[in-house]
Amino acid sequence: MIEIIGYLASFCCIVAFFPQVLKVLRTRQTRDISIGLLVLFLIGNSLWILYAIPQNLTPVWITNLAVLMQVLLLLILKIKFK
Amino acid sequence: MIEIIGYLASFCCIVAFFPQVLKVLRTRQTRDISIGLLVLFLIGNSLWILYAIPQNLTPVWITNLAVLMQVLLLLILKIKFK
């Protein structure tokens, strides 16, 4: 049961970034998104992966890896569309 | 050691939202932030709290509770400054 909640939570957080990435790709506007959010989130995601793997918290590290890739893409787009 | 990494990860994710909240409060501009991101993230955060509490994953639920409150504030500001 807890594992199912974990995977549902994981799914929500992973798909949460899809509308943001699509919005940025469509509008090419990133002015209102804070670069500080993206950089700190990248560091946080990396640390969560290091926290979750040794404890076999699969939903936690899968989520953070998927979110990390999308946040990295947003950061690249933020710099590109400046 | 793992616990320390967890708290560092938690700290990064919690403070990650400060620059975004401050930016929105200062500029009153939220156009480039996706409402889908905020809504899905709120659901995800709530589910992570339900996942982490029974397993005593303290850094996980503390982070999600703190992030949830900031994402909720961003959602309110997004609707208010529309």
Side-chain angles (χ1 to χ4, degrees):
Chain A
M1 182 62 187
I2 282 177
E3 203 71 352
I4 293 167
I5 294 172
Y7 281 106
L8 274 176
S10 174
F11 177 77
C12 283
C13 285
I14 292 169
V15 299
F17 281 85
F18 292 178
Q20 183 66 66
V21 169
L22 291 175
K23 191 183 180 92
V24 169
L25 287 172
R26 202 179 59 240
T27 62
R28 304 170 78 93
Q29 293 290 327
T30 59
R31 198 193 49 190
D32 303 335
I33 302 168
S34 162
I35 199 157
L37 170 79
L38 300 175
V39 171
L40 286 165
F41 223 67
L42 273 186
I43 301 168
N45 285 142
S46 310
L47 290 168
W48 280 125
I49 294 168
L50 293 178
Y51 169 82
I53 288 178
Q55 295 184 90
N56 286 317
L57 300 168
T58 312
V60 179
W61 73 256
I62 286 178
T63 311
N64 280 282
L65 190 62
V67 169
L68 184 145
M69 289 187 293
Q70 294 181 86
V71 174
L72 190 62
L73 178 60
L74 285 173
L75 185 64
I76 293 166
L77 294 172
K78 166 102 186 158
I79 294 163
K80 190 175 147 74
F81 295 152
K82 212 170 193 171
Chain B
M1 183 59 186
I2 282 178
E3 203 71 352
I4 293 168
I5 294 172
Y7 281 106
L8 275 175
S10 174
F11 177 78
C12 283
C13 285
I14 293 169
V15 298
F17 281 83
F18 292 178
Q20 184 64 68
V21 170
L22 290 174
K23 191 182 180 91
V24 169
L25 286 173
R26 200 180 60 239
T27 63
R28 305 170 79 91
Q29 293 291 327
T30 59
R31 198 193 48 188
D32 303 336
I33 302 168
S34 162
I35 199 158
L37 170 80
L38 300 176
V39 172
L40 287 164
F41 223 66
L42 273 186
I43 301 169
N45 285 143
S46 310
L47 290 168
W48 279 125
I49 295 168
L50 293 178
Y51 170 82
I53 288 177
Q55 295 184 90
N56 285 317
L57 299 168
T58 312
V60 179
W61 71 258
I62 286 178
T63 312
N64 279 282
L65 189 63
V67 168
L68 184 146
M69 288 187 295
Q70 293 180 86
V71 173
L72 189 63
L73 178 60
L74 285 173
L75 185 63
I76 292 166
L77 293 172
K78 167 99 186 160
I79 293 163
K80 189 176 148 74
F81 295 153
K82 210 169 193 170

mmCIF file of all heavy atoms in Angstrom, chain B residues 29-45:
data_model
loop_
_atom_site.group_PDB
_atom_site.id
_atom_site.type_symbol
_atom_site.label_atom_id
_atom_site.label_comp_id
_atom_site.label_asym_id
_atom_site.label_seq_id
_atom_site.Cartn_x
_atom_site.Cartn_y
_atom_site.Cartn_z
ATOM 1 N N GLN B 29 4.467 39.055 -11.310
ATOM 2 C CA GLN B 29 4.329 38.422 -12.627
ATOM 3 C C GLN B 29 4.440 36.910 -12.470
ATOM 4 O O GLN B 29 5.415 36.414 -11.905
ATOM 5 C CB GLN B 29 5.454 38.887 -13.567
ATOM 6 C CG GLN B 29 5.384 40.356 -13.954
ATOM 7 C CD GLN B 29 4.204 40.662 -14.859
ATOM 8 O OE1 GLN B 29 3.804 39.841 -15.670
ATOM 9 N NE2 GLN B 29 3.633 41.848 -14.699
ATOM 10 N N THR B 30 3.451 36.194 -12.991
ATOM 11 C CA THR B 30 3.473 34.722 -12.876
ATOM 12 C C THR B 30 3.143 34.057 -14.213
ATOM 13 O O THR B 30 2.940 32.845 -14.255
ATOM 14 C CB THR B 30 2.437 34.243 -11.838
ATOM 15 O OG1 THR B 30 1.146 34.688 -12.264
ATOM 16 C CG2 THR B 30 2.727 34.763 -10.451
ATOM 17 N N ARG B 31 3.103 34.864 -15.274
ATOM 18 C CA ARG B 31 2.638 34.371 -16.573
ATOM 19 C C ARG B 31 3.391 33.135 -17.063
ATOM 20 O O ARG B 31 2.793 32.207 -17.610
ATOM 21 C CB ARG B 31 2.784 35.501 -17.611
ATOM 22 C CG ARG B 31 1.989 35.327 -18.868
ATOM 23 C CD ARG B 31 2.459 36.323 -19.907
ATOM 24 N NE ARG B 31 3.929 36.297 -19.998
ATOM 25 C CZ ARG B 31 4.656 37.140 -20.703
ATOM 26 N NH1 ARG B 31 4.076 38.111 -21.356
ATOM 27 N NH2 ARG B 31 5.977 37.030 -20.748
ATOM 28 N N ASP B 32 4.728 33.112 -16.880
ATOM 29 C CA ASP B 32 5.543 32.023 -17.426
ATOM 30 C C ASP B 32 5.538 30.763 -16.561
ATOM 31 O O ASP B 32 6.103 29.743 -16.943
ATOM 32 C CB ASP B 32 6.998 32.488 -17.618
ATOM 33 C CG ASP B 32 7.081 33.711 -18.518
ATOM 34 O OD1 ASP B 32 6.159 33.912 -19.325
ATOM 35 O OD2 ASP B 32 8.063 34.458 -18.397
ATOM 36 N N ILE B 33 4.901 30.847 -15.386
ATOM 37 C CA ILE B 33 4.842 29.662 -14.509
ATOM 38 C C ILE B 33 3.573 28.891 -14.850
ATOM 39 O O ILE B 33 2.479 29.449 -14.864
ATOM 40 C CB ILE B 33 4.844 30.070 -13.020
ATOM 41 C CG1 ILE B 33 6.093 30.896 -12.705
ATOM 42 C CG2 ILE B 33 4.771 28.827 -12.124
ATOM 43 C CD1 ILE B 33 6.058 31.581 -11.346
ATOM 44 N N SER B 34 3.724 27.590 -15.107
ATOM 45 C CA SER B 34 2.589 26.742 -15.484
ATOM 46 C C SER B 34 1.727 26.408 -14.273
ATOM 47 O O SER B 34 2.236 25.967 -13.236
ATOM 48 C CB SER B 34 3.122 25.459 -16.117
ATOM 49 O OG SER B 34 2.120 24.482 -16.109
ATOM 50 N N ILE B 35 0.417 26.636 -14.409
ATOM 51 C CA ILE B 35 -0.516 26.286 -13.328
ATOM 52 C C ILE B 35 -0.575 24.763 -13.150
ATOM 53 O O ILE B 35 -0.745 24.264 -12.036
ATOM 54 C CB ILE B 35 -1.905 26.935 -13.557
ATOM 55 C CG1 ILE B 35 -2.708 26.986 -12.250
ATOM 56 C CG2 ILE B 35 -2.696 26.216 -14.651
ATOM 57 C CD1 ILE B 35 -3.800 28.036 -12.237
ATOM 58 N N GLY B 36 -0.378 24.027 -14.248
ATOM 59 C CA GLY B 36 -0.360 22.557 -14.202
ATOM 60 C C GLY B 36 0.755 22.048 -13.296
ATOM 61 O O GLY B 36 0.560 21.118 -12.515
ATOM 62 N N LEU B 37 1.932 22.685 -13.400
ATOM 63 C CA LEU B 37 3.058 22.322 -12.529
ATOM 64 C C LEU B 37 2.664 22.466 -11.066
ATOM 65 O O LEU B 37 2.877 21.552 -10.269
ATOM 66 C CB LEU B 37 4.269 23.229 -12.830
ATOM 67 C CG LEU B 37 5.455 23.140 -11.856
ATOM 68 C CD1 LEU B 37 6.314 21.928 -12.147
ATOM 69 C CD2 LEU B 37 6.318 24.384 -11.904
ATOM 70 N N LEU B 38 2.073 23.602 -10.733
ATOM 71 C CA LEU B 38 1.734 23.886 -9.333
ATOM 72 C C LEU B 38 0.694 22.903 -8.795
ATOM 73 O O LEU B 38 0.861 22.350 -7.699
ATOM 74 C CB LEU B 38 1.250 25.338 -9.189
ATOM 75 C CG LEU B 38 2.264 26.412 -9.612
ATOM 76 C CD1 LEU B 38 1.634 27.799 -9.530
ATOM 77 C CD2 LEU B 38 3.521 26.359 -8.759
ATOM 78 N N VAL B 39 -0.368 22.650 -9.569
ATOM 79 C CA VAL B 39 -1.449 21.760 -9.107
ATOM 80 C C VAL B 39 -0.944 20.321 -8.950
ATOM 81 O O VAL B 39 -1.166 19.684 -7.913
ATOM 82 C CB VAL B 39 -2.660 21.836 -10.069
ATOM 83 C CG1 VAL B 39 -3.699 20.776 -9.726
ATOM 84 C CG2 VAL B 39 -3.284 23.232 -10.039
ATOM 85 N N LEU B 40 -0.224 19.822 -9.968
ATOM 86 C CA LEU B 40 0.286 18.445 -9.895
ATOM 87 C C LEU B 40 1.316 18.287 -8.778
ATOM 88 O O LEU B 40 1.382 17.258 -8.104
ATOM 89 C CB LEU B 40 0.888 18.021 -11.236
ATOM 90 C CG LEU B 40 -0.129 17.746 -12.343
ATOM 91 C CD1 LEU B 40 0.532 17.721 -13.709
ATOM 92 C CD2 LEU B 40 -0.835 16.414 -12.089
ATOM 93 N N PHE B 41 2.120 19.343 -8.577
ATOM 94 C CA PHE B 41 3.129 19.302 -7.521
ATOM 95 C C PHE B 41 2.479 19.253 -6.138
ATOM 96 O O PHE B 41 2.970 18.541 -5.251
ATOM 97 C CB PHE B 41 4.039 20.531 -7.647
ATOM 98 C CG PHE B 41 5.482 20.193 -7.455
ATOM 99 C CD1 PHE B 41 6.139 19.386 -8.369
ATOM 100 C CD2 PHE B 41 6.189 20.654 -6.372
ATOM 101 C CE1 PHE B 41 7.473 19.043 -8.181
ATOM 102 C CE2 PHE B 41 7.523 20.323 -6.183
ATOM 103 C CZ PHE B 41 8.155 19.520 -7.089
ATOM 104 N N LEU B 42 1.377 19.983 -5.974
ATOM 105 C CA LEU B 42 0.640 19.955 -4.701
ATOM 106 C C LEU B 42 0.133 18.552 -4.395
ATOM 107 O O LEU B 42 0.252 18.073 -3.265
ATOM 108 C CB LEU B 42 -0.573 20.889 -4.780
ATOM 109 C CG LEU B 42 -0.363 22.347 -4.427
ATOM 110 C CD1 LEU B 42 -1.703 23.068 -4.435
ATOM 111 C CD2 LEU B 42 0.304 22.509 -3.074
ATOM 112 N N ILE B 43 -0.437 17.886 -5.423
ATOM 113 C CA ILE B 43 -0.939 16.512 -5.244
ATOM 114 C C ILE B 43 0.240 15.590 -4.910
ATOM 115 O O ILE B 43 0.179 14.787 -3.983
ATOM 116 C CB ILE B 43 -1.696 16.031 -6.509
ATOM 117 C CG1 ILE B 43 -2.877 16.955 -6.811
ATOM 118 C CG2 ILE B 43 -2.173 14.585 -6.342
ATOM 119 C CD1 ILE B 43 -3.517 16.726 -8.190
ATOM 120 N N GLY B 44 1.332 15.736 -5.669
ATOM 121 C CA GLY B 44 2.529 14.925 -5.443
ATOM 122 C C GLY B 44 3.078 15.099 -4.035
ATOM 123 O O GLY B 44 3.349 14.118 -3.337
ATOM 124 N N ASN B 45 3.194 16.357 -3.593
ATOM 125 C CA ASN B 45 3.698 16.625 -2.235
ATOM 126 C C ASN B 45 2.828 15.962 -1.173
ATOM 127 O O ASN B 45 3.347 15.370 -0.219
ATOM 128 C CB ASN B 45 3.711 18.135 -1.955
ATOM 129 C CG ASN B 45 4.830 18.883 -2.641
ATOM 130 O OD1 ASN B 45 4.649 20.008 -3.087
ATOM 131 N ND2 ASN B 45 5.985 18.277 -2.739
#
